[in-house]
Amino acid sequence: MLELAILGLLQETPMHGYELRKELATKLGTIRAAISYGTLYPTLKRLQTAGWITESESDPSMIPPMTSKRGRVVYKITAEGKERFADLLAQAGPETYDDAGFGVHFAFFARTDRATRLRILEGRRRRIEERREGLRDVLSRAGERLDAYTLELQRHGLDACEREVRWLEELITNERSGKTLDFPADPARDAPPESPRPHTDRP
């Protein structure tokens, strides 16, 4: 999944490691993109060895402050890398139904064909429906034996599954009808990104 995300981001524009790590967090969310440099750079090296990306020296004036000399290296996707990215997008196996796999593929749905999007969405719906039924079974069989907090956690999980199934069904309906994805405006989502704030340990 990290390979897919990196190739997708580099297809938008060349980046150095610092930018890639930041854009992974922006594109995929902080939790999914909690990637250390110790994970990122070996993956970049592997992609480079495979011929899917190349590296070059960046303009020293463009290096972000507080970064190491690694910030001087700019990574670019190759023609072979673009083909690899397209192949990864076309995959719609069970790994694309899991939380991480689905999140990464969904982030690049705009570049994915409709048939593949439908297979992934339907597979994800089946996976969440299975999870939902498992939680319902736990609550019906063992609900009385669970303490209040564990019971509330199970109910919370069940509610999340039910909401996701409804969301997926709406997406699937749109895909089948050929409609452009169109949800009600979300001011928080559509607002321009805020400028970075200095780090602080205070809440």
PDB file of all heavy atoms in Angstrom, residues 46-63:
ATOM      1  N   ARG A  46      13.864   0.682  -2.710  1.00  0.00           N
ATOM      2  CA  ARG A  46      13.372  -0.487  -3.428  1.00  0.00           C
ATOM      3  C   ARG A  46      12.697  -0.084  -4.733  1.00  0.00           C
ATOM      4  O   ARG A  46      12.883  -0.734  -5.772  1.00  0.00           O
ATOM      5  CB  ARG A  46      12.399  -1.265  -2.535  1.00  0.00           C
ATOM      6  CG  ARG A  46      11.817  -2.507  -3.180  1.00  0.00           C
ATOM      7  CD  ARG A  46      11.030  -3.327  -2.181  1.00  0.00           C
ATOM      8  NE  ARG A  46       9.965  -2.583  -1.559  1.00  0.00           N
ATOM      9  CZ  ARG A  46       8.779  -2.353  -2.121  1.00  0.00           C
ATOM     10  NH1 ARG A  46       8.520  -2.818  -3.331  1.00  0.00           N
ATOM     11  NH2 ARG A  46       7.846  -1.675  -1.472  1.00  0.00           N
ATOM     12  N   LEU A  47      11.926   0.983  -4.707  1.00  0.00           N
ATOM     13  CA  LEU A  47      11.268   1.460  -5.916  1.00  0.00           C
ATOM     14  C   LEU A  47      12.289   1.950  -6.942  1.00  0.00           C
ATOM     15  O   LEU A  47      12.113   1.770  -8.151  1.00  0.00           O
ATOM     16  CB  LEU A  47      10.288   2.592  -5.578  1.00  0.00           C
ATOM     17  CG  LEU A  47       9.105   2.227  -4.677  1.00  0.00           C
ATOM     18  CD1 LEU A  47       8.240   3.450  -4.425  1.00  0.00           C
ATOM     19  CD2 LEU A  47       8.276   1.114  -5.275  1.00  0.00           C
ATOM     20  N   GLN A  48      13.359   2.552  -6.432  1.00  0.00           N
ATOM     21  CA  GLN A  48      14.410   3.021  -7.330  1.00  0.00           C
ATOM     22  C   GLN A  48      15.141   1.840  -7.969  1.00  0.00           C
ATOM     23  O   GLN A  48      15.424   1.849  -9.174  1.00  0.00           O
ATOM     24  CB  GLN A  48      15.392   3.897  -6.551  1.00  0.00           C
ATOM     25  CG  GLN A  48      16.440   4.567  -7.419  1.00  0.00           C
ATOM     26  CD  GLN A  48      17.370   5.449  -6.601  1.00  0.00           C
ATOM     27  OE1 GLN A  48      17.223   5.556  -5.390  1.00  0.00           O
ATOM     28  NE2 GLN A  48      18.320   6.081  -7.256  1.00  0.00           N
ATOM     29  N   THR A  49      15.425   0.817  -7.176  1.00  0.00           N
ATOM     30  CA  THR A  49      16.093  -0.375  -7.698  1.00  0.00           C
ATOM     31  C   THR A  49      15.244  -1.057  -8.768  1.00  0.00           C
ATOM     32  O   THR A  49      15.761  -1.583  -9.757  1.00  0.00           O
ATOM     33  CB  THR A  49      16.380  -1.367  -6.558  1.00  0.00           C
ATOM     34  OG1 THR A  49      17.226  -0.730  -5.589  1.00  0.00           O
ATOM     35  CG2 THR A  49      17.071  -2.623  -7.073  1.00  0.00           C
ATOM     36  N   ALA A  50      13.931  -1.033  -8.591  1.00  0.00           N
ATOM     37  CA  ALA A  50      13.020  -1.641  -9.558  1.00  0.00           C
ATOM     38  C   ALA A  50      12.873  -0.807 -10.824  1.00  0.00           C
ATOM     39  O   ALA A  50      12.290  -1.273 -11.803  1.00  0.00           O
ATOM     40  CB  ALA A  50      11.645  -1.844  -8.917  1.00  0.00           C
ATOM     41  N   GLY A  51      13.394   0.412 -10.797  1.00  0.00           N
ATOM     42  CA  GLY A  51      13.300   1.278 -11.968  1.00  0.00           C
ATOM     43  C   GLY A  51      12.019   2.067 -12.048  1.00  0.00           C
ATOM     44  O   GLY A  51      11.712   2.638 -13.099  1.00  0.00           O
ATOM     45  N   TRP A  52      11.278   2.134 -10.947  1.00  0.00           N
ATOM     46  CA  TRP A  52       9.988   2.820 -10.959  1.00  0.00           C
ATOM     47  C   TRP A  52      10.103   4.285 -10.579  1.00  0.00           C
ATOM     48  O   TRP A  52       9.204   5.067 -10.869  1.00  0.00           O
ATOM     49  CB  TRP A  52       9.006   2.103 -10.039  1.00  0.00           C
ATOM     50  CG  TRP A  52       8.711   0.711 -10.505  1.00  0.00           C
ATOM     51  CD1 TRP A  52       8.697   0.272 -11.802  1.00  0.00           C
ATOM     52  CD2 TRP A  52       8.399  -0.426  -9.699  1.00  0.00           C
ATOM     53  NE1 TRP A  52       8.393  -1.065 -11.852  1.00  0.00           N
ATOM     54  CE2 TRP A  52       8.208  -1.534 -10.574  1.00  0.00           C
ATOM     55  CE3 TRP A  52       8.264  -0.639  -8.331  1.00  0.00           C
ATOM     56  CZ2 TRP A  52       7.893  -2.803 -10.119  1.00  0.00           C
ATOM     57  CZ3 TRP A  52       7.948  -1.904  -7.879  1.00  0.00           C
ATOM     58  CH2 TRP A  52       7.763  -2.975  -8.762  1.00  0.00           C
ATOM     59  N   ILE A  53      11.188   4.657  -9.901  1.00  0.00           N
ATOM     60  CA  ILE A  53      11.450   6.061  -9.601  1.00  0.00           C
ATOM     61  C   ILE A  53      12.928   6.332  -9.809  1.00  0.00           C
ATOM     62  O   ILE A  53      13.744   5.404  -9.838  1.00  0.00           O
ATOM     63  CB  ILE A  53      11.045   6.448  -8.153  1.00  0.00           C
ATOM     64  CG1 ILE A  53      11.915   5.707  -7.122  1.00  0.00           C
ATOM     65  CG2 ILE A  53       9.567   6.204  -7.902  1.00  0.00           C
ATOM     66  CD1 ILE A  53      11.681   6.171  -5.686  1.00  0.00           C
ATOM     67  N   THR A  54      13.267   7.599  -9.972  1.00  0.00           N
ATOM     68  CA  THR A  54      14.662   8.017 -10.056  1.00  0.00           C
ATOM     69  C   THR A  54      14.864   9.146  -9.058  1.00  0.00           C
ATOM     70  O   THR A  54      13.893   9.703  -8.525  1.00  0.00           O
ATOM     71  CB  THR A  54      15.027   8.510 -11.463  1.00  0.00           C
ATOM     72  OG1 THR A  54      14.197   9.635 -11.805  1.00  0.00           O
ATOM     73  CG2 THR A  54      14.836   7.413 -12.498  1.00  0.00           C
ATOM     74  N   GLU A  55      16.114   9.501  -8.828  1.00  0.00           N
ATOM     75  CA  GLU A  55      16.396  10.601  -7.912  1.00  0.00           C
ATOM     76  C   GLU A  55      17.359  11.574  -8.565  1.00  0.00           C
ATOM     77  O   GLU A  55      18.145  11.217  -9.441  1.00  0.00           O
ATOM     78  CB  GLU A  55      16.979  10.092  -6.588  1.00  0.00           C
ATOM     79  CG  GLU A  55      18.299   9.374  -6.701  1.00  0.00           C
ATOM     80  CD  GLU A  55      18.835   8.948  -5.346  1.00  0.00           C
ATOM     81  OE1 GLU A  55      18.053   8.453  -4.521  1.00  0.00           O
ATOM     82  OE2 GLU A  55      20.054   9.108  -5.124  1.00  0.00           O
ATOM     83  N   SER A  56      17.258  12.830  -8.140  1.00  0.00           N
ATOM     84  CA  SER A  56      18.145  13.867  -8.637  1.00  0.00           C
ATOM     85  C   SER A  56      18.359  14.876  -7.520  1.00  0.00           C
ATOM     86  O   SER A  56      17.664  14.849  -6.495  1.00  0.00           O
ATOM     87  CB  SER A  56      17.553  14.549  -9.871  1.00  0.00           C
ATOM     88  OG  SER A  56      16.315  15.154  -9.555  1.00  0.00           O
ATOM     89  N   GLU A  57      19.320  15.772  -7.704  1.00  0.00           N
ATOM     90  CA  GLU A  57      19.609  16.786  -6.700  1.00  0.00           C
ATOM     91  C   GLU A  57      18.632  17.949  -6.846  1.00  0.00           C
ATOM     92  O   GLU A  57      18.337  18.394  -7.958  1.00  0.00           O
ATOM     93  CB  GLU A  57      21.039  17.294  -6.846  1.00  0.00           C
ATOM     94  CG  GLU A  57      22.099  16.248  -6.525  1.00  0.00           C
ATOM     95  CD  GLU A  57      22.069  15.819  -5.064  1.00  0.00           C
ATOM     96  OE1 GLU A  57      21.992  16.706  -4.191  1.00  0.00           O
ATOM     97  OE2 GLU A  57      22.112  14.610  -4.798  1.00  0.00           O
ATOM     98  N   SER A  58      18.136  18.448  -5.715  1.00  0.00           N
ATOM     99  CA  SER A  58      17.228  19.580  -5.742  1.00  0.00           C
ATOM    100  C   SER A  58      18.000  20.879  -5.567  1.00  0.00           C
ATOM    101  O   SER A  58      19.169  20.887  -5.199  1.00  0.00           O
ATOM    102  CB  SER A  58      16.182  19.454  -4.624  1.00  0.00           C
ATOM    103  OG  SER A  58      16.809  19.539  -3.365  1.00  0.00           O
ATOM    104  N   ASP A  59      17.318  21.971  -5.839  1.00  0.00           N
ATOM    105  CA  ASP A  59      17.883  23.295  -5.624  1.00  0.00           C
ATOM    106  C   ASP A  59      18.083  23.488  -4.124  1.00  0.00           C
ATOM    107  O   ASP A  59      17.124  23.403  -3.351  1.00  0.00           O
ATOM    108  CB  ASP A  59      16.909  24.345  -6.169  1.00  0.00           C
ATOM    109  CG  ASP A  59      17.433  25.764  -6.026  1.00  0.00           C
ATOM    110  OD1 ASP A  59      18.447  25.961  -5.318  1.00  0.00           O
ATOM    111  OD2 ASP A  59      16.818  26.667  -6.621  1.00  0.00           O
ATOM    112  N   PRO A  60      19.308  23.770  -3.655  1.00  0.00           N
ATOM    113  CA  PRO A  60      19.549  23.919  -2.209  1.00  0.00           C
ATOM    114  C   PRO A  60      18.643  24.946  -1.557  1.00  0.00           C
ATOM    115  O   PRO A  60      18.296  24.826  -0.389  1.00  0.00           O
ATOM    116  CB  PRO A  60      21.019  24.357  -2.151  1.00  0.00           C
ATOM    117  CG  PRO A  60      21.614  23.829  -3.411  1.00  0.00           C
ATOM    118  CD  PRO A  60      20.534  23.927  -4.445  1.00  0.00           C
ATOM    119  N   SER A  61      18.225  25.975  -2.313  1.00  0.00           N
ATOM    120  CA  SER A  61      17.376  27.012  -1.718  1.00  0.00           C
ATOM    121  C   SER A  61      15.972  26.502  -1.426  1.00  0.00           C
ATOM    122  O   SER A  61      15.210  27.144  -0.698  1.00  0.00           O
ATOM    123  CB  SER A  61      17.288  28.215  -2.665  1.00  0.00           C
ATOM    124  OG  SER A  61      16.630  27.850  -3.870  1.00  0.00           O
ATOM    125  N   MET A  62      15.621  25.320  -2.004  1.00  0.00           N
ATOM    126  CA  MET A  62      14.272  24.779  -1.828  1.00  0.00           C
ATOM    127  C   MET A  62      14.203  23.744  -0.713  1.00  0.00           C
ATOM    128  O   MET A  62      13.159  23.176  -0.454  1.00  0.00           O
ATOM    129  CB  MET A  62      13.790  24.141  -3.130  1.00  0.00           C
ATOM    130  CG  MET A  62      13.725  25.113  -4.295  1.00  0.00           C
ATOM    131  SD  MET A  62      12.625  26.501  -3.977  1.00  0.00           S
ATOM    132  CE  MET A  62      11.054  25.655  -3.982  1.00  0.00           C
ATOM    133  N   ILE A  63      15.333  23.465  -0.047  1.00  0.00           N
ATOM    134  CA  ILE A  63      15.352  22.463   1.006  1.00  0.00           C
ATOM    135  C   ILE A  63      14.624  22.995   2.235  1.00  0.00           C
ATOM    136  O   ILE A  63      14.926  24.092   2.705  1.00  0.00           O
ATOM    137  CB  ILE A  63      16.793  22.087   1.384  1.00  0.00           C
ATOM    138  CG1 ILE A  63      17.527  21.542   0.160  1.00  0.00           C
ATOM    139  CG2 ILE A  63      16.822  21.078   2.522  1.00  0.00           C
ATOM    140  CD1 ILE A  63      18.994  21.310   0.395  1.00  0.00           C
TER     141      ILE A  63
END
